[in-house]
Amino acid sequence: MTTDLETIGMLRDSAARYADDNYSFHQRWAVLEQPEGYSRQAWSDFAEFGFLALRLPEDDGGLDADAVAIGAVMEIAGSRLLMEPLLASAIVGTGLLLKQGSAAQKAALLPALADGSLVLVLADDDEAGPCVIDGNRITGAKLGVLHGDIAGKFLVSAIDAASGAAVVALVDADAAGLSRHNYKLVDGRGAATLRLDGAVAERLQPESGQPAAAALADIRDEATVALCAETLGIVRSLVHTTNEYLKVRKQFGKFIGSNQALQHRMVDCLLLQEEVRALTAAAQQALAGPAEGRVRIVSGARAYIVTAARQVANEAIQMHGGVGVTDEVDVSHYFRRLMVIAALFGNRDAHFARFVDAALTA
Amino acid sequence: MSEQLRARAETLRQEVRDFYATVMPAELRDKAHRHQVLSKEDYVGWMHLLDKQGWSVAHWPEALGGKGWSPLERFAFEDELARLGCPWVIPFGVKYVGPVIYAFGTDAQKQRFLPGIKTTEEFWAQGYSEPGAGSDLAGLRTMALKDGDHYVVNGQKVWTTYAQWADWLFCLVRTDRDDKPQTGISFLLIDMKSPGVTVKPIRTMDGFAHVNEVWLEDVKVPAENLIGEEGKGWTYAKFLLKNERTAGAIVGWAWHVLDRLKKHARETRVNGVALIDQPLMRNRIGEYELRFMALELAAYQAVTAMVDGTENGSEASLIKLRGTELYQEVMETLVEALGHAGVAFDTEALHSAGLPPLGPDDTGGILKDHFYNRAATIFGGSSEIQRNIVAKVVLGL
């Protein structure tokens, strides 16, 4: 599964062109005002471009996209601050269904995922303790489910009441016994807290027999790498915007970029950007490689990138001055998006600890 | 610095703690504890409380209703309030323009303005920064041209905190087109109700509009509202900025947020282990503790120099630089440690008794403060300007 360069270039160009025409920072204001925190129009446009079928097999009209191809789209999602559930549904939800769904389950859901009529979101985090599934009834809570407010169905990670084994369960958003509390995140996207009280669930049952624990580990790594690419897009935008600002903003009769102190800090931001780019590419390659070496690179990349991006965002605000903390400039929106990214699929410390374990275990 | 003064400062700290526990109304204490957004009424009520305690202008001379507090007492007072998480002591009247008026104003100006400043009967805002004059304050362009017994003011101010509530604006204006940047500046008091004054809110990251643009279009200001002499505004502004940069509260804010982080890390378990016992977090909090110790000791050293009159001009910059850096980093860690709650934000809940979508009941306030104080290294003299000051006045560079 290696996407050819031509396809990757096409994906990148079409995403960038679409954003140029339809998703400028000013056009995005209307999206931020939507109660559901995303644009339905953009979502159906993405379906037309095939972005929602990125991961589908070619036989099902998809691209069978690899991490590099997914990264090309995620980088634009970051640089243009797209609000739609590309990561949550098209990459993670769809990706996990492809790994763990039975042929019948896939046949039932993939068409609706590809045409955008279904948003399928993984509810995975165990901050509130693991969910437990007993037969076809699931109980527990999931906090901070990104786009959980607009999802039509959920994939809920749980443990089997009898065996203690990991299970991925499909739960309808309107299932009896499921209640959700919706709210907005700091970046304007929606999320939900799910309370499951014996909610009816359907276990995913792959013909391959792949254990759910392995599939969940894979999808978390894939999500982590996609977040690295999204962050790269943000970092590149922040570096570009701030660099331009240093060339036009004047104080004390000269451009602020003529101050050596700022020049050096801007250089450091550029170095961080290049490291983020290299680490993202390495993490994408690692996903295709053997499982043994993967954790060190994927979690190492993620831990480094979270910190690097935070430093770049802090510098971007600092060098923009007061303007940088206003709602009117993109810098403050990137800052908030990075906060959310840092809280998804394991925080910096969790990935750093994972990296250290992998790196120091000979 | 005498033992007597040290003892007085310690007594004052205890008085502030007692005041917080017994005098401050429960409702305000709860809002403060949760770092909720305060209304003008809340703030005015708060300033009235401080005035009743004799604290609103205690740093003023006794003849003017103050207590003639030393720098140590000022520091202890601001530090203790901040540690308790009390509302901001709004400085524009009592700390900024008040001292300018009593140091450089006429008797008539003192009689007219000082009583209202002491009691916050009149609410003040600061008209300093402009779109082209931020760090480079002397680059300001707002013009005030003399026309008989008044000035006609035209220009635009920006980042004007609470201009939407203000009765008065103290304003740096240019009264001479031809002079060098710093010599043509004058210090003018402008009635916000004057025709031609327009306030436009600026929305910041936290979703609120604490700051504003203030547009001044052919605003007539009586000549008697000029402070001191025409063209000497820069001298008065520097005097005021020195007060702005005493920066006592930042040490207390850093303490407060570090204390909050420790509390959260003790109460939160991840994979069965308290966050504070997890090596990465424990190490990080330990580093913050160490940096706080250095900050606090450096602050006392600086205040001692101010009391003894041996300061070299770098003291306030040092406290602000180290204090704001530490504050911001601790806050980042706290927000991250809040997990999902640290990225869920409901601005409505900050106005009422409503609860945040997730997390402890002060989560929304923590996030608001995190966003607001991202500008702590920018406002009141950016970190870059603070370093320039130290480079110039101490290092001679």
Side-chain angles (χ1 to χ4, degrees):
Chain A
M1 180 177 92
T2 303
T3 313
D4 62 88
L5 290 176
E6 195 183 338
T7 304
I8 292 167
M10 182 206 76
L11 277 172
R12 179 175 286 123
D13 290 348
S14 64
R17 207 164 35 241
Y18 178 80
D20 281 344
D21 293 343
N22 301 287
Y23 226 108
S24 70
F25 183 65
H26 291 287
Q27 286 165 318
R28 188 172 166 275
W29 280 115
V31 182
L32 279 170
E33 279 156 21
Q34 296 295 317
E36 57 268 82
Y38 81 113
S39 159
R40 284 173 186 278
Q41 181 60 51
W43 189 241
S44 67
D45 291 342
F46 293 164
E48 287 210 2
F49 290 148
F51 295 164
L52 308 190
L54 272 179
R55 304 205 62 168
L56 269 57
E58 290 178 9
D59 289 349
D60 292 323
L63 283 174
D64 196 15
D66 67 4
V68 179
I70 289 168
V73 175
M74 286 307 296
E75 201 180 322
I76 303 294
S79 67
R80 311 311 289 261
L81 295 170
L82 304 183
M83 305 285 283
E84 291 65 36
L86 277 169
L87 174 77
S89 182
I91 293 164
V92 173
T94 305
L96 187 56
L97 177 70
L98 285 165
K99 291 178 203 297
Q100 286 281 291
S102 66
Q105 286 167 331
K106 286 190 246 190
L109 300 179
L110 288 178
L113 286 168
D115 71 19
S117 56
L118 172 64
V119 170
L120 174 69
V121 163
L122 170 62
D124 185 35
D125 200 289
D126 281 347
E127 199 174 294
C131 288
V132 175
I133 187 163
D134 190 356
N136 68 340
R137 299 284 181 165
I138 189 165
T139 298
K142 294 287 186 184
L143 308 184
V145 180
L146 178 64
H147 298 299
D149 58 330
I150 54 162
K153 291 179 189 294
F154 296 96
L155 293 176
V156 182
S157 59
I159 53 172
D160 185 81
S163 69
V167 173
V168 179
L170 182 67
V171 180
D172 247 42
D174 53 8
L178 166 66
S179 62
R180 53 178 162 177
H181 170 219
N182 298 336
Y183 48 85
K184 288 289 181 68
L185 300 177
V186 292
D187 67 354
R189 292 185 291 177
T193 291
L194 310 184
R195 309 261 169 218
L196 300 134
D197 184 13
V200 176
E202 178 188 337
R203 294 169 185 240
L204 294 194
Q205 287 175 318
E207 279 88 9
S208 72
Q210 186 195 29
L216 282 165
D218 283 350
I219 202 76
R220 287 170 193 145
D221 278 350
E222 289 167 20
T224 298
V225 174
L227 288 170
C228 290
E230 184 178 350
T231 307
L232 171 61
I234 293 172
V235 166
R236 290 182 62 186
S237 294
L238 284 170
V239 168
H240 175 78
T241 304
T242 308
N243 191 16
E244 290 306 302
Y245 190 70
L246 294 186
K247 293 179 193 169
V248 298
R249 171 68 173 172
K250 272 187 166 179
Q251 289 284 270
F252 301 102
K254 57 183 186 179
F255 294 113
I256 60 174
S258 65
N259 293 297
Q260 203 174 49
L262 296 197
Q263 289 171 356
H264 287 182
R265 281 160 50 192
M266 199 64 233
V267 168
D268 285 338
C269 289
L270 185 78
L271 299 184
L272 289 167
Q273 172 192 295
E274 293 311 304
E275 289 171 317
V276 169
R277 192 202 304 274
L279 286 161
T280 300
Q284 288 167 344
Q285 298 307 320
L287 276 189
E292 303 90 75
R294 189 202 291 171
V295 164
R296 184 176 67 86
I297 295 176
V298 168
S299 280
R302 170 88 159 130
Y304 194 94
I305 286 172
V306 167
T307 309
R310 184 175 293 157
Q311 185 181 335
V312 170
N314 282 338
E315 284 287 33
I317 288 181
Q318 187 67 26
M319 291 196 238
H320 274 79
V323 174
V325 298
T326 66
D327 221 22
E328 292 156 35
V329 299
D330 55 6
V331 174
S332 76
H333 294 259
Y334 287 121
F335 179 88
R336 284 173 277 181
R337 179 77 161 229
L338 286 172
M339 283 173 67
V340 175
I341 290 175
L344 297 174
F345 293 99
N347 68 13
R348 191 257 171 203
D349 281 2
H351 282 285
F352 182 69
R354 210 168 164 239
F355 166 79
V356 172
D357 283 345
L360 302 186
T361 304
Chain B
M1 190 158 67
S2 69
E3 280 308 313
Q4 204 182 3
L5 180 55
R6 273 182 218 278
R8 276 217 307 275
E10 282 313 306
T11 306
L12 177 59
R13 281 186 185 271
Q14 187 56 50
E15 286 170 8
V16 171
R17 288 193 289 267
D18 292 345
F19 159 80
Y20 177 80
T22 60
V23 179
M24 212 165 139
E27 193 197 355
L28 185 61
R29 207 166 48 216
D30 181 55
K31 279 186 178 181
H33 161 70
R34 296 169 60 186
H35 296 261
Q36 288 209 310
V37 173
L38 300 188
S39 65
K40 181 180 181 181
E41 289 66 36
D42 288 329
Y43 271 124
V44 170
W46 165 241
M47 297 300 282
H48 282 170
L49 272 183
L50 294 182
D51 184 38
K52 272 193 221 150
Q53 296 292 126
W55 289 338
S56 68
V57 298
H59 53 288
W60 290 11
E62 286 178 66
L64 297 166
K67 294 174 185 286
W69 270 354
S70 70
L72 180 69
E73 288 159 301
R74 279 180 76 163
F75 174 77
F77 174 68
E78 291 181 8
D79 185 54
E80 200 59 42
L81 283 180
R83 284 179 189 232
L84 292 165
C86 285
W88 193 33
V89 180
I90 303 212
F92 306 109
V94 295
K95 204 168 156 183
Y96 298 170
V97 76
V100 169
I101 291 174
Y102 70 64
F104 304 106
T106 63
D107 284 342
Q109 287 168 335
K110 291 178 204 172
Q111 279 160 21
R112 165 67 188 82
F113 292 112
L114 292 182
I117 289 172
K118 177 177 177 292
T119 58
T120 317
E121 289 309 315
E122 289 179 315
F123 203 102
W124 286 81
Q126 172 175 256
Y128 269 33
S129 297
E130 296 184 8
S135 286
D136 178 15
L137 193 53
L140 64 91
R141 289 200 201 136
T142 294
M143 289 297 304
L145 294 178
K146 194 81 172 276
D147 181 10
D149 59 357
H150 61 264
Y151 292 94
V152 178
V153 183
N154 279 285
Q156 186 199 342
K157 295 292 174 180
V158 75
W159 313 126
T160 316
T161 303
Y162 298 139
Q164 73 272 30
W165 298 341
D167 302 300
W168 287 89
L169 182 75
F170 60 91
C171 205
L172 290 180
V173 295
R174 201 162 277 291
T175 39
D176 196 322
R177 284 184 201 281
D178 302 324
D179 274 334
K180 285 179 188 166
Q182 295 170 359
T183 52
I185 293 172
S186 300
F187 196 108
L188 210 51
L189 310 180
I190 298 178
D191 185 340
M192 290 293 281
K193 288 183 287 295
S194 313
V197 178
T198 311
V199 175
K200 294 182 186 172
I202 301 172
R203 224 165 86 116
T204 40
M205 268 206 283
D206 54 11
F208 298 101
H210 320 268
V211 291
N212 302 273
E213 297 174 356
V214 178
W215 294 73
L216 303 159
E217 289 164 284
D218 291 327
V219 179
K220 282 179 72 171
V221 179
E224 71 220 37
N225 288 5
L226 177 79
I227 295 288
E229 293 173 44
E230 257 193 25
K232 292 216 169 155
W234 191 250
T235 310
Y236 314 143
K238 280 205 299 194
F239 170 84
L240 184 153
L241 286 173
K242 216 176 126 194
N243 287 320
E244 182 172 1
R245 287 173 184 157
T246 54
I250 187 63
V251 179
W253 286 334
W255 184 93
H256 182 79
V257 69
L258 180 52
D259 188 59
R260 186 67 190 84
L261 172 61
K262 287 185 284 187
K263 180 167 181 279
H264 181 74
R266 286 192 185 103
E267 289 171 352
T268 306
R269 302 178 84 79
V270 176
N271 300 325
V273 180
L275 214 43
I276 201 160
D277 292 324
Q278 308 217 356
L280 288 174
M281 185 58 79
R282 190 171 184 80
N283 189 38
R284 192 173 298 134
I285 293 176
E287 293 283 354
Y288 293 150
E289 281 285 332
L290 186 54
R291 283 167 60 184
F292 180 78
M293 189 167 85
L295 170 70
E296 192 181 35
L297 291 170
Y300 270 108
Q301 177 177 275
V303 172
T304 304
M306 290 176 196
V307 171
D308 296 344
T310 58
E311 70 263 46
N312 63 14
S314 72
E315 290 82 0
S317 295
L318 185 153
I319 300 170
K320 183 169 191 266
L321 281 165
R322 285 291 185 254
T324 51
E325 284 164 0
L326 180 62
Y327 179 97
Q328 287 179 350
E329 283 182 56
V330 175
M331 200 57 139
E332 273 178 0
T333 300
L334 174 57
V335 168
E336 194 171 75
L338 282 163
H340 291 296
V343 294
F345 190 43
D346 179 0
T347 53
E348 295 304 313
L350 284 170
H351 281 299
S352 64
L355 291 170
L358 279 178
D361 63 2
D362 60 345
T363 302
I366 289 171
L367 283 171
K368 172 182 70 70
D369 286 0
H370 173 57
F371 288 132
Y372 183 77
N373 283 300
R374 191 54 204 74
T377 46
I378 296 168
F379 57 59
S382 68
S383 294
E384 290 77 9
I385 291 298
Q386 303 297 344
R387 289 191 165 90
N388 283 349
I389 290 170
V390 179
K392 191 172 168 184
V393 304
V394 183
L395 302 177
L397 297 174

